[in-house]
Amino acid sequence: MSNIFDVMESSVQTYARSFPVTFNKAQGVWLHDQSGKRYLDFLAGAGTLNYGHNHPVLKEALIDYIQQDGIAHGLDMHTSAKAAFLTALQQIILKPRDMDHVAQFTGPTGTNAVEAAMKLARKVTGRSNIVAFTNGFHGVSLGALAATGNQHHRGGAGTSMADISRLPYDGYPGAGEDSLLLFETMLNDNSSGLDKPAAVLFEVVQGEGGLNASSFKWLQRLEKICRKHDILMIADDIQAGCGRTGTFFSFEPAGIKPDIITLSKSLSGMGLPFALVLLRPELDQWSPGEHNGTFRGNNHAFVTARKALETFWQDDTFAAEVRAKGELLTERMQAMVHRFPKLFSKVKGRGMMQGIACHDGDIADVITSKCFERGLIIETAGPNDEVVKCLCPLIITKDELKQGLDWLEEAIAETACEQLRKAS
Protein backbone atom coordinates (compact mmCIF):
# COMPACT_ATOMS: atom_id res chain seq x y z
CA MET A 1 0.00 0.00 0.00
CA SER A 2 1.36 3.43 -0.95
CA ASN A 3 2.20 5.85 1.86
CA ILE A 4 1.58 9.59 1.86
CA PHE A 5 5.09 10.29 0.59
CA ASP A 6 4.57 8.11 -2.49
CA VAL A 7 1.25 9.82 -3.19
CA MET A 8 2.07 13.44 -2.44
CA GLU A 9 5.80 14.09 -2.64
CA SER A 10 7.67 15.01 -5.81
CA SER A 11 10.12 12.57 -7.35
CA VAL A 12 12.86 15.16 -6.82
CA GLN A 13 13.50 13.82 -3.29
CA THR A 14 16.91 12.19 -2.80
CA TYR A 15 17.89 11.32 0.77
CA ALA A 16 14.59 9.51 1.38
CA ARG A 17 15.56 7.06 -1.35
CA SER A 18 18.81 6.16 0.41
CA PHE A 19 17.26 5.97 3.87
CA PRO A 20 13.73 4.58 3.29
CA VAL A 21 12.27 4.77 6.80
CA THR A 22 10.18 7.38 8.60
CA PHE A 23 12.12 9.16 11.34
CA ASN A 24 10.32 10.67 14.30
CA LYS A 25 12.90 11.55 16.97
CA ALA A 26 16.49 12.71 17.24
CA GLN A 27 18.92 13.52 20.02
CA GLY A 28 22.64 14.17 19.85
CA VAL A 29 24.14 11.92 17.17
CA TRP A 30 21.21 9.49 17.07
CA LEU A 31 18.08 9.36 14.91
CA HIS A 32 15.08 7.12 15.68
CA ASP A 33 12.50 5.74 13.26
CA GLN A 34 8.86 4.96 13.95
CA SER A 35 9.63 1.32 14.74
CA GLY A 36 12.00 2.37 17.51
CA LYS A 37 15.25 1.52 15.73
CA ARG A 38 18.00 4.05 16.24
CA TYR A 39 20.63 5.15 13.75
CA LEU A 40 24.01 6.76 14.24
CA ASP A 41 24.01 9.92 12.12
CA PHE A 42 27.12 10.35 9.95
CA LEU A 43 25.19 12.69 7.63
CA ALA A 44 24.14 15.44 10.08
CA GLY A 45 21.80 17.21 7.70
CA ALA A 46 24.55 17.38 5.06
CA GLY A 47 26.65 19.33 7.54
CA THR A 48 23.82 21.32 9.12
CA LEU A 49 23.99 19.69 12.56
CA ASN A 50 27.55 20.25 13.73
CA TYR A 51 26.27 20.41 17.31
CA GLY A 52 24.00 17.39 16.91
CA HIS A 53 20.23 17.02 17.04
CA ASN A 54 18.32 19.07 19.61
CA HIS A 55 21.33 20.12 21.64
CA PRO A 56 19.89 20.70 25.13
CA VAL A 57 21.52 24.11 25.66
CA LEU A 58 20.34 25.44 22.29
CA LYS A 59 16.90 23.87 22.69
CA GLU A 60 16.42 25.44 26.10
CA ALA A 61 17.37 28.89 24.78
CA LEU A 62 14.87 28.57 21.93
CA ILE A 63 12.04 27.29 24.13
CA ASP A 64 12.59 30.13 26.61
CA TYR A 65 12.52 32.67 23.79
CA ILE A 66 9.29 31.27 22.33
CA GLN A 67 7.59 31.08 25.72
CA GLN A 68 8.34 34.77 26.22
CA ASP A 69 6.58 35.55 22.90
CA GLY A 70 9.85 36.58 21.27
CA ILE A 71 9.67 37.84 17.69
CA ALA A 72 9.68 34.94 15.23
CA HIS A 73 9.52 36.85 11.95
CA GLY A 74 10.63 40.42 11.49
CA LEU A 75 11.78 40.95 7.87
CA ASP A 76 15.00 42.92 8.42
CA MET A 77 13.72 45.01 11.32
CA HIS A 78 15.84 45.42 14.42
CA THR A 79 15.07 42.90 17.16
CA SER A 80 16.71 42.03 20.45
CA ALA A 81 17.48 38.53 19.14
CA LYS A 82 19.29 39.93 16.11
CA ALA A 83 21.24 42.39 18.26
CA ALA A 84 22.36 39.60 20.59
CA PHE A 85 23.48 37.43 17.67
CA LEU A 86 25.41 40.25 15.98
CA THR A 87 27.12 41.11 19.25
CA ALA A 88 28.19 37.50 19.76
CA LEU A 89 29.37 37.21 16.15
CA GLN A 90 31.43 40.38 16.46
CA GLN A 91 32.92 39.67 19.89
CA ILE A 92 33.47 35.91 19.70
CA ILE A 93 34.25 35.28 16.03
CA LEU A 94 35.25 38.40 14.10
CA LYS A 95 37.28 40.56 16.48
CA PRO A 96 39.57 37.75 17.72
CA ARG A 97 40.35 37.03 14.05
CA ASP A 98 41.00 40.70 13.23
CA MET A 99 38.01 40.79 10.87
CA ASP A 100 35.86 43.89 10.42
CA HIS A 101 33.33 42.33 8.03
CA VAL A 102 29.70 43.43 8.23
CA ALA A 103 26.76 41.05 8.03
CA GLN A 104 24.11 40.77 5.34
CA PHE A 105 21.12 38.58 6.15
CA THR A 106 19.82 36.85 3.04
CA GLY A 107 17.13 34.29 2.32
CA PRO A 108 17.36 31.24 4.58
CA THR A 109 19.54 28.79 2.63
CA GLY A 110 23.13 28.68 1.44
CA THR A 111 22.32 29.25 -2.21
CA ASN A 112 20.65 32.57 -1.23
CA ALA A 113 23.91 33.71 0.35
CA VAL A 114 25.90 32.70 -2.73
CA GLU A 115 23.49 34.55 -5.00
CA ALA A 116 23.90 37.72 -2.92
CA ALA A 117 27.69 37.40 -2.83
CA MET A 118 27.94 37.01 -6.59
CA LYS A 119 25.55 39.90 -7.23
CA LEU A 120 27.45 42.17 -4.89
CA ALA A 121 30.82 41.33 -6.44
CA ARG A 122 29.44 42.20 -9.87
CA LYS A 123 27.84 45.41 -8.61
CA VAL A 124 30.97 46.64 -6.84
CA THR A 125 33.46 45.85 -9.59
CA GLY A 126 31.27 46.52 -12.62
CA ARG A 127 32.39 43.19 -14.11
CA SER A 128 30.11 40.27 -14.87
CA ASN A 129 32.48 37.29 -15.07
CA ILE A 130 33.15 35.15 -12.00
CA VAL A 131 35.73 32.36 -11.80
CA ALA A 132 34.58 29.11 -10.23
CA PHE A 133 36.45 25.82 -9.97
CA THR A 134 36.04 22.29 -11.18
CA ASN A 135 33.91 20.13 -8.86
CA GLY A 136 32.66 23.18 -6.97
CA PHE A 137 29.14 23.10 -5.54
CA HIS A 138 27.48 26.38 -4.59
CA GLY A 139 23.73 25.72 -4.77
CA VAL A 140 21.04 25.06 -7.36
CA SER A 141 19.28 28.41 -7.74
CA LEU A 142 20.14 29.73 -11.18
CA GLY A 143 23.04 32.08 -10.39
CA ALA A 144 24.69 29.71 -7.93
CA LEU A 145 24.02 26.79 -10.25
CA ALA A 146 26.01 28.51 -12.99
CA ALA A 147 29.02 28.27 -10.67
CA THR A 148 28.26 24.66 -9.69
CA GLY A 149 30.11 22.02 -11.67
CA ASN A 150 27.90 18.96 -11.24
CA GLN A 151 26.25 18.03 -14.55
CA HIS A 152 23.30 16.31 -12.88
CA HIS A 153 22.30 19.50 -11.10
CA ARG A 154 23.13 21.72 -14.06
CA GLY A 155 20.91 19.56 -16.24
CA GLY A 156 17.89 20.61 -14.22
CA ALA A 157 18.23 24.29 -15.14
CA GLY A 158 16.45 24.15 -18.48
CA THR A 159 18.28 27.24 -19.69
CA SER A 160 21.76 28.52 -20.48
CA MET A 161 24.02 29.70 -17.66
CA ALA A 162 26.57 32.39 -18.39
CA ASP A 163 29.19 34.72 -16.88
CA ILE A 164 31.18 31.92 -15.22
CA SER A 165 34.69 30.85 -16.19
CA ARG A 166 35.68 27.40 -14.93
CA LEU A 167 39.27 26.72 -13.91
CA PRO A 168 40.98 23.64 -12.40
CA TYR A 169 40.86 23.29 -8.62
CA ASP A 170 43.93 22.36 -6.64
CA GLY A 171 44.93 18.78 -7.53
CA TYR A 172 42.51 18.50 -10.44
CA PRO A 173 43.65 15.60 -12.67
CA GLY A 174 45.62 16.80 -15.68
CA ALA A 175 46.15 20.30 -14.31
CA GLY A 176 49.72 19.60 -13.23
CA GLU A 177 51.32 20.49 -9.94
CA ASP A 178 50.38 24.16 -10.20
CA SER A 179 46.76 24.52 -11.22
CA LEU A 180 46.82 28.29 -10.67
CA LEU A 181 49.48 28.79 -13.32
CA LEU A 182 46.76 28.68 -15.98
CA PHE A 183 44.73 31.34 -14.16
CA GLU A 184 47.69 33.66 -13.74
CA THR A 185 48.85 33.17 -17.32
CA MET A 186 45.40 33.88 -18.74
CA LEU A 187 45.01 37.05 -16.65
CA ASN A 188 48.31 38.32 -18.02
CA ASP A 189 47.47 37.45 -21.65
CA ASN A 190 45.25 39.96 -23.44
CA SER A 191 44.31 37.27 -25.96
CA SER A 192 43.48 34.49 -23.52
CA GLY A 193 39.72 35.03 -23.86
CA LEU A 194 39.29 35.19 -20.09
CA ASP A 195 37.29 38.28 -19.20
CA LYS A 196 38.70 39.86 -16.06
CA PRO A 197 36.53 38.45 -13.30
CA ALA A 198 34.68 40.31 -10.60
CA ALA A 199 35.54 37.55 -8.16
CA VAL A 200 36.72 34.02 -7.61
CA LEU A 201 34.29 31.73 -5.81
CA PHE A 202 35.87 28.81 -3.99
CA GLU A 203 35.51 26.19 -1.26
CA VAL A 204 38.47 25.27 0.93
CA VAL A 205 37.16 21.69 1.03
CA GLN A 206 34.75 20.79 -1.75
CA GLY A 207 32.03 18.96 0.14
CA GLU A 208 29.68 17.78 -2.58
CA GLY A 209 32.44 17.70 -5.18
CA GLY A 210 34.21 14.79 -3.50
CA LEU A 211 36.02 16.19 -0.42
CA ASN A 212 38.81 17.76 -2.47
CA ALA A 213 40.89 19.81 -0.02
CA SER A 214 43.01 22.68 -1.25
CA SER A 215 46.48 23.14 0.17
CA PHE A 216 47.18 26.24 2.22
CA LYS A 217 49.90 27.17 -0.27
CA TRP A 218 47.34 27.05 -3.11
CA LEU A 219 44.97 29.31 -1.17
CA GLN A 220 47.74 31.77 -0.39
CA ARG A 221 48.73 31.97 -4.05
CA LEU A 222 45.10 32.39 -5.08
CA GLU A 223 44.85 35.35 -2.71
CA LYS A 224 48.07 36.85 -4.08
CA ILE A 225 46.78 36.61 -7.66
CA CYS A 226 43.45 38.18 -6.69
CA ARG A 227 45.09 41.08 -4.88
CA LYS A 228 47.43 41.76 -7.79
CA HIS A 229 44.57 41.87 -10.30
CA ASP A 230 41.93 43.56 -8.10
CA ILE A 231 39.67 40.48 -8.01
CA LEU A 232 37.42 39.82 -5.04
CA MET A 233 37.67 36.54 -3.13
CA ILE A 234 34.40 34.83 -2.15
CA ALA A 235 34.89 31.95 0.28
CA ASP A 236 31.94 29.56 0.25
CA ASP A 237 32.13 28.26 3.82
CA ILE A 238 28.59 26.93 3.89
CA GLN A 239 29.50 23.28 4.49
CA ALA A 240 33.16 23.53 5.55
CA GLY A 241 32.61 26.37 8.04
CA CYS A 242 31.33 26.54 11.63
CA GLY A 243 34.12 24.27 12.86
CA ARG A 244 33.83 21.38 10.43
CA THR A 245 37.53 21.38 9.50
CA GLY A 246 38.79 22.17 13.01
CA THR A 247 38.61 25.99 12.97
CA PHE A 248 35.50 28.17 12.81
CA PHE A 249 36.30 29.28 9.24
CA SER A 250 37.88 26.62 7.05
CA PHE A 251 40.37 29.10 5.55
CA GLU A 252 41.89 30.26 8.87
CA PRO A 253 44.97 27.99 8.88
CA ALA A 254 45.99 29.35 5.46
CA GLY A 255 46.14 32.88 6.85
CA ILE A 256 44.04 34.35 4.03
CA LYS A 257 41.29 36.97 4.43
CA PRO A 258 38.51 36.61 1.86
CA ASP A 259 36.60 39.74 0.92
CA ILE A 260 33.23 37.99 1.11
CA ILE A 261 32.27 34.86 3.07
CA THR A 262 29.07 32.87 2.81
CA LEU A 263 27.75 30.88 5.78
CA SER A 264 24.66 28.75 6.33
CA LYS A 265 24.04 25.08 7.30
CA SER A 266 25.37 24.83 10.89
CA LEU A 267 25.30 28.58 11.49
CA SER A 268 21.98 28.40 13.37
CA GLY A 269 23.40 25.57 15.48
CA MET A 270 20.17 23.60 15.51
CA GLY A 271 19.16 23.01 11.91
CA LEU A 272 17.02 26.13 11.60
CA PRO A 273 17.17 27.89 8.20
CA PHE A 274 19.73 30.70 8.35
CA ALA A 275 22.19 32.13 5.82
CA LEU A 276 24.61 35.01 6.07
CA VAL A 277 27.05 36.95 3.93
CA LEU A 278 30.04 38.56 5.61
CA LEU A 279 31.64 41.34 3.57
CA ARG A 280 34.32 43.95 4.02
CA PRO A 281 32.70 47.29 4.95
CA GLU A 282 33.88 49.10 1.82
CA LEU A 283 32.06 46.53 -0.32
CA ASP A 284 28.72 47.25 1.34
CA GLN A 285 27.41 49.26 -1.61
CA TRP A 286 23.83 47.95 -1.68
CA SER A 287 20.97 50.41 -1.94
CA PRO A 288 18.25 49.78 0.67
CA GLY A 289 16.14 46.79 -0.35
CA GLU A 290 18.24 46.11 -3.45
CA HIS A 291 18.68 42.50 -2.36
CA ASN A 292 15.95 41.29 -0.05
CA GLY A 293 13.73 38.37 0.89
CA THR A 294 10.75 37.72 3.13
CA PHE A 295 12.61 35.29 5.40
CA ARG A 296 15.90 37.09 5.88
CA GLY A 297 15.16 37.58 9.57
CA ASN A 298 14.74 34.17 11.24
CA ASN A 299 14.82 35.29 14.85
CA HIS A 300 14.57 31.75 16.20
CA ALA A 301 17.80 31.01 14.34
CA PHE A 302 19.38 34.16 15.77
CA VAL A 303 18.69 32.80 19.26
CA THR A 304 20.22 29.37 18.71
CA ALA A 305 23.12 30.73 16.62
CA ARG A 306 24.06 33.15 19.41
CA LYS A 307 23.87 30.38 21.97
CA ALA A 308 26.03 28.10 19.81
CA LEU A 309 28.74 30.77 19.53
CA GLU A 310 28.67 31.41 23.26
CA THR A 311 28.70 27.69 24.13
CA PHE A 312 31.32 26.37 21.71
CA TRP A 313 33.51 29.24 20.50
CA GLN A 314 34.54 31.36 23.49
CA ASP A 315 37.95 29.64 23.39
CA ASP A 316 39.77 26.91 21.46
CA THR A 317 38.60 23.97 23.59
CA PHE A 318 35.85 22.74 21.26
CA ALA A 319 37.93 23.30 18.11
CA ALA A 320 40.83 21.34 19.61
CA GLU A 321 38.48 18.44 20.34
CA VAL A 322 37.28 18.52 16.72
CA ARG A 323 40.85 18.43 15.46
CA ALA A 324 41.67 15.46 17.72
CA LYS A 325 38.63 13.53 16.47
CA GLY A 326 39.64 14.45 12.92
CA GLU A 327 43.02 12.81 13.51
CA LEU A 328 41.27 9.65 14.73
CA LEU A 329 39.06 9.70 11.64
CA THR A 330 42.10 10.03 9.37
CA GLU A 331 43.90 7.17 11.10
CA ARG A 332 40.94 4.80 10.84
CA MET A 333 40.16 5.64 7.23
CA GLN A 334 43.75 5.30 6.13
CA ALA A 335 43.80 1.85 7.75
CA MET A 336 40.67 0.89 5.76
CA VAL A 337 42.28 2.03 2.51
CA HIS A 338 45.38 0.01 3.34
CA ARG A 339 43.29 -3.05 4.22
CA PHE A 340 41.07 -2.93 1.13
CA PRO A 341 43.17 -1.57 -1.76
CA LYS A 342 40.93 -3.28 -4.34
CA LEU A 343 38.02 -1.09 -3.24
CA PHE A 344 39.65 2.23 -2.40
CA SER A 345 42.17 4.69 -3.77
CA LYS A 346 42.72 7.23 -0.96
CA VAL A 347 41.38 9.23 1.98
CA LYS A 348 40.11 12.70 1.10
CA GLY A 349 39.15 15.84 3.00
CA ARG A 350 40.22 17.52 6.21
CA GLY A 351 39.22 17.52 9.88
CA MET A 352 35.75 16.10 10.48
CA MET A 353 34.99 16.36 6.77
CA GLN A 354 36.69 13.27 5.37
CA GLY A 355 35.87 10.29 3.24
CA ILE A 356 37.23 7.34 1.32
CA ALA A 357 37.42 7.44 -2.47
CA CYS A 358 36.16 4.17 -3.96
CA HIS A 359 37.24 2.98 -7.37
CA ASP A 360 33.68 3.61 -8.62
CA GLY A 361 30.31 4.85 -7.45
CA ASP A 362 28.71 1.41 -7.44
CA ILE A 363 31.06 0.25 -4.69
CA ALA A 364 30.32 3.34 -2.62
CA ASP A 365 26.58 2.80 -3.02
CA VAL A 366 26.82 -0.81 -1.83
CA ILE A 367 28.89 0.22 1.19
CA THR A 368 26.51 2.98 2.31
CA SER A 369 23.52 0.65 1.88
CA LYS A 370 25.18 -1.96 4.10
CA CYS A 371 25.97 0.76 6.63
CA PHE A 372 22.28 1.70 6.78
CA GLU A 373 21.35 -1.93 7.45
CA ARG A 374 23.65 -1.78 10.49
CA GLY A 375 22.17 1.48 11.74
CA LEU A 376 24.67 3.96 10.28
CA ILE A 377 23.46 6.84 8.10
CA ILE A 378 26.23 7.92 5.75
CA GLU A 379 26.17 9.38 2.24
CA THR A 380 28.35 9.61 -0.85
CA ALA A 381 29.86 12.57 -2.67
CA GLY A 382 31.95 13.28 -5.76
CA PRO A 383 31.28 13.54 -9.50
CA ASN A 384 30.33 9.87 -9.67
CA ASP A 385 29.17 9.49 -6.05
CA GLU A 386 32.35 7.51 -5.49
CA VAL A 387 33.40 8.97 -2.12
CA VAL A 388 31.96 7.55 1.10
CA LYS A 389 31.65 10.74 3.10
CA CYS A 390 31.81 11.06 6.90
CA LEU A 391 30.02 14.19 8.08
CA CYS A 392 28.99 13.31 11.63
CA PRO A 393 28.10 15.92 14.27
CA LEU A 394 31.17 17.52 15.79
CA ILE A 395 29.92 16.83 19.32
CA ILE A 396 30.18 13.06 18.75
CA THR A 397 32.14 11.25 21.46
CA LYS A 398 35.20 9.23 20.53
CA ASP A 399 33.35 6.03 21.50
CA GLU A 400 30.43 6.92 19.23
CA LEU A 401 32.84 7.81 16.44
CA LYS A 402 34.60 4.46 16.86
CA GLN A 403 31.24 2.66 16.83
CA GLY A 404 30.29 4.27 13.52
CA LEU A 405 33.67 3.54 11.99
CA ASP A 406 33.43 -0.07 13.16
CA TRP A 407 30.09 -0.39 11.35
CA LEU A 408 31.60 1.25 8.28
CA GLU A 409 34.51 -1.19 8.30
CA GLU A 410 32.14 -4.14 8.70
CA ALA A 411 30.14 -2.94 5.69
CA ILE A 412 33.36 -2.54 3.72
CA ALA A 413 34.58 -6.04 4.64
CA GLU A 414 31.26 -7.55 3.58
CA THR A 415 31.41 -5.66 0.29
CA ALA A 416 34.99 -6.84 -0.30
CA CYS A 417 33.94 -10.48 0.24
CA GLU A 418 31.10 -10.11 -2.25
CA GLN A 419 33.44 -8.53 -4.79
CA LEU A 420 35.89 -11.42 -4.33
CA ARG A 421 33.14 -14.01 -4.88
CA LYS A 422 32.03 -12.27 -8.06
CA ALA A 423 35.58 -12.21 -9.38
CA SER A 424 36.21 -15.93 -8.68
Side-chain angles (χ1 to χ4, degrees), residues 14-243:
T14 54
Y15 291 107
R17 299 177 188 276
S18 299
F19 314 115
V21 297
T22 301
F23 298 102
N24 65 351
K25 182 181 177 181
Q27 173 60 51
V29 298
W30 296 95
L31 280 162
H32 301 255
D33 68 19
Q34 286 184 326
S35 71
K37 181 176 179 178
R38 71 175 193 165
Y39 301 82
L40 187 54
D41 189 358
F42 270 36
L43 173 61
T48 304
L49 298 162
N50 282 4
Y51 313 111
H53 296 269
N54 292 307
H55 191 284
V57 174
L58 309 186
K59 182 172 67 173
E60 181 181 7
L62 180 58
I63 290 172
D64 287 347
Y65 181 79
I66 293 172
Q67 287 181 333
Q68 295 171 28
D69 291 326
I71 298 291
H73 178 271
L75 295 171
D76 67 354
M77 291 185 287
H78 295 169
T79 66
S80 58
K82 182 192 286 187
F85 166 72
L86 286 171
T87 300
L89 178 68
Q90 181 188 61
Q91 297 299 320
I92 298 172
I93 301 300
L94 299 182
K95 278 192 174 181
R97 292 162 177 80
D98 194 27
M99 296 170 65
D100 61 354
H101 292 58
V102 297
Q104 178 186 354
F105 299 101
T106 67
T109 68
T111 195
N112 300 135
V114 171
E115 294 280 357
M118 293 170 71
K119 283 173 62 176
L120 181 62
R122 287 165 171 152
K123 175 182 172 65
V124 168
T125 64
R127 307 175 212 133
S128 61
N129 190 34
I130 288 177
V131 164
F133 294 95
T134 51
N135 290 313
F137 183 90
H138 303 286
V140 295
S141 55
L142 201 57
L145 183 59
T148 292
N150 186 279
Q151 289 297 324
H152 172 73
H153 291 101
R154 292 171 65 83
T159 188
S160 60
M161 293 170 284
D163 293 329
I164 294 291
S165 294
R166 191 91 45 196
L167 289 173
Y169 189 73
D170 191 18
Y172 188 74
E177 294 184 7
D178 184 4
S179 67
L180 289 176
L181 178 61
L182 175 63
F183 186 28
E184 195 165 29
T185 301
M186 293 180 77
L187 286 171
N188 291 323
D189 182 356
N190 291 329
S191 294
S192 69
L194 174 67
D195 294 328
K196 186 175 181 179
V200 295
L201 174 61
F202 66 98
E203 301 158 274
V204 173
V205 181
Q206 296 183 320
E208 302 304 309
L211 297 177
N212 308 304
S214 58
S215 70
F216 300 149
K217 182 178 179 182
W218 187 87
L219 292 168
Q220 291 160 1
R221 184 167 181 193
L222 179 63
E223 182 181 52
K224 184 177 180 181
I225 292 170
C226 288
R227 299 294 175 245
K228 178 180 178 181
H229 293 275
D230 190 28
I231 299 166
L232 298 176
M233 295 184 75
I234 305 173
D236 183 341
D237 228 13
I238 287 165
Q239 189 168 112
C242 298

Side-chain angles (χ1 to χ4, degrees), residues 3-21:
N3 61 34
I4 191 64
F5 306 109
D6 295 329
V7 174
M8 290 297 299
E9 193 169 3
S10 165
S11 60
V12 77
Q13 61 183 297
T14 54
Y15 291 107
R17 299 177 188 276
S18 299
F19 314 115
V21 297

Side-chain angles (χ1 to χ4, degrees), residues 136-422:
F137 183 90
H138 303 286
V140 295
S141 55
L142 201 57
L145 183 59
T148 292
N150 186 279
Q151 289 297 324
H152 172 73
H153 291 101
R154 292 171 65 83
T159 188
S160 60
M161 293 170 284
D163 293 329
I164 294 291
S165 294
R166 191 91 45 196
L167 289 173
Y169 189 73
D170 191 18
Y172 188 74
E177 294 184 7
D178 184 4
S179 67
L180 289 176
L181 178 61
L182 175 63
F183 186 28
E184 195 165 29
T185 301
M186 293 180 77
L187 286 171
N188 291 323
D189 182 356
N190 291 329
S191 294
S192 69
L194 174 67
D195 294 328
K196 186 175 181 179
V200 295
L201 174 61
F202 66 98
E203 301 158 274
V204 173
V205 181
Q206 296 183 320
E208 302 304 309
L211 297 177
N212 308 304
S214 58
S215 70
F216 300 149
K217 182 178 179 182
W218 187 87
L219 292 168
Q220 291 160 1
R221 184 167 181 193
L222 179 63
E223 182 181 52
K224 184 177 180 181
I225 292 170
C226 288
R227 299 294 175 245
K228 178 180 178 181
H229 293 275
D230 190 28
I231 299 166
L232 298 176
M233 295 184 75
I234 305 173
D236 183 341
D237 228 13
I238 287 165
Q239 189 168 112
C242 298
R244 177 56 58 179
T245 63
T247 51
F248 186 84
F249 297 111
S250 64
F251 52 80
E252 288 182 53
I256 66 171
K257 290 194 174 180
D259 304 288
I260 302 173
I261 304 156
T262 61
L263 293 170
S264 186
K265 289 196 181 287
S266 280
L267 181 60
S268 78
M270 201 170 160
L272 300 177
F274 186 19
L276 184 69
V277 178
L278 297 174
L279 52 135
R280 289 193 291 108
E282 60 268 30
L283 301 179
D284 189 17
Q285 299 177 25
W286 294 114
S287 298
E290 194 171 17
H291 186 89
N292 59 26
T294 303
F295 295 102
R296 64 192 186 278
N298 185 350
N299 283 258
H300 290 171
F302 295 158
V303 171
T304 54
R306 170 189 61 83
K307 199 65 178 179
L309 296 181
E310 292 174 348
T311 302
F312 296 101
W313 295 101
Q314 295 278 10
D315 56 35
D316 193 52
T317 302
F318 176 68
E321 292 172 356
V322 173
R323 292 191 292 272
K325 284 180 277 195
E327 291 173 2
L328 171 61
L329 183 58
T330 302
E331 180 183 329
R332 285 292 303 270
M333 286 193 162
Q334 285 178 341
M336 293 179 205
V337 171
H338 180 74
R339 181 182 172 191
F340 301 103
K342 292 185 178 179
L343 297 183
F344 305 125
S345 57
K346 60 181 175 180
V347 176
K348 303 182 70 178
R350 182 176 296 135
M352 290 292 280
M353 191 176 182
Q354 297 187 63
I356 308 177
C358 303
H359 293 312
D360 62 61
D362 291 339
I363 293 173
D365 183 60
V366 170
I367 291 171
T368 55
S369 295
K370 292 184 182 299
C371 285
F372 184 64
E373 292 171 5
R374 287 167 167 78
L376 178 65
I377 295 175
I378 190 168
E379 71 166 333
T380 59
N384 299 302
D385 293 318
E386 76 282 6
V387 179
V388 177
K389 177 183 181 184
C390 176
L391 215 63
C392 56
L394 304 182
I395 51 92
I396 193 170
T397 66
K398 285 192 175 182
D399 285 343
E400 289 168 332
L401 179 58
K402 290 175 182 177
Q403 173 67 83
L405 292 173
D406 287 346
W407 280 338
L408 173 59
E409 190 158 9
E410 288 174 13
I412 291 168
E414 185 179 339
T415 303
C417 287
E418 291 178 356
Q419 293 281 320
L420 185 62
R421 283 197 298 267
K422 288 179 182 178

